Amino acid sequence: MRPGKGPLAVRVRLAPDDEGLAPGFELTEAGTQKRLAVYVTKNPDEVPGIAALGPDPMAESFTVEALKRIVGGKRTQIKGLLRDQKVIAGIGNAYSDEVLHAAKMSPFKIAATLTDAQLADLHEAIVTTLRDAVERAHGLAAKDLKAEKKSGLRVHNRAGQPCDVCGDTIREVSFADSSLQYCPTCQTGGKPLADRRLSKLLK
């Protein structure tokens, strides 16, 4: 399959080893917007995307107080903030859904309105969710990582299925180039969030 024909973006084959085996890897990118970039460098900090990354949520320095400084005063929805790699590195769309479900927090909640208790819960959810994901992926072959990630998700990409925690039906909100999933009972007091894109389609 050539890049541009399907999800395959890059195929790398390295020089054969002493046994004649040629190691390598493939990178795929789903979705309509292609944002994947590949760099060959001796210093990762020279890559613009890496240089611009926010703090590592798995680092010891990522404390509740550090999260409070990150969130403080930001009048943006917490879902968008968690997805922003320049704010916090490594969470992204799928795990932001998982983190917010674990924290029992609406994805539409404004970051600046979080109380100290909610910040502590969010911090715990971030660290625990990512640590569990890393532990599940440890030792797996690259080809098995995607399936393992999917099997460990509680809400992301599970719209219409029952929540493992409360049994309510997982809902979805669609945007132009992405979507989010959440549990109304666990996260929004039982109230479905407005899906403006779906409403326009129904009209």
Side-chain angles (χ1 to χ4, degrees), residues 69 72 78 87 123 182 189:
R69 288 192 296 271
I78 191 64
V87 176
H123 178 270
Y182 69 99

Side-chain angles (χ1 to χ4, degrees), residues 11 15 28 74 179:
R11 177 181 287 142
T28 60
K74 289 188 170 60
S179 62

Side-chain angles (χ1 to χ4, degrees), residues 13-44:
R13 289 289 179 264
L14 304 178
D17 59 19
D18 294 338
E19 298 178 357
L21 299 176
F25 60 89
E26 296 178 348
L27 297 178
T28 60
E29 184 175 25
T32 57
Q33 293 195 8
K34 303 301 183 182
R35 299 174 178 173
L36 180 68
V38 177
Y39 295 82
V40 178
T41 180
K42 293 182 178 180
N43 181 6

Side-chain angles (χ1 to χ4, degrees), residues 98-130:
E98 297 301 299
V99 164
L100 292 171
H101 180 256
K104 299 186 182 301
M105 187 175 295
S106 169
F108 285 2
K109 188 169 184 62
I110 300 301
T113 67
L114 295 179
T115 65
D116 287 346
Q118 288 171 330
L119 280 167
D121 289 343
L122 181 61
H123 178 270
E124 175 67 18
I126 291 172
V127 173
T128 300
T129 298
L130 296 184

Side-chain angles (χ1 to χ4, degrees), residues 28-99:
T28 60
E29 184 175 25
T32 57
Q33 293 195 8
K34 303 301 183 182
R35 299 174 178 173
L36 180 68
V38 177
Y39 295 82
V40 178
T41 180
K42 293 182 178 180
N43 181 6
D45 290 333
E46 294 177 352
V47 178
I50 293 178
L53 287 175
D56 179 358
M58 300 293 288
E60 291 185 7
S61 58
F62 186 76
T63 61
V64 176
E65 286 303 313
L67 178 60
K68 187 175 183 178
R69 288 192 296 271
I70 291 170
V71 170
K74 289 188 170 60
R75 303 295 304 176
T76 186
Q77 293 173 350
I78 191 64
K79 164 74 178 182
L81 185 145
L82 292 178
R83 284 187 59 185
D84 190 340
Q85 300 299 304
K86 295 179 181 179
V87 176
I88 304 174
I91 296 180
N93 191 39
Y95 286 118
S96 60
D97 283 348
E98 297 301 299
V99 164

Side-chain angles (χ1 to χ4, degrees), residues 137 139-146:
L140 292 180
K143 64 181 179 63
D144 299 324
L145 289 174
K146 186 175 291 186

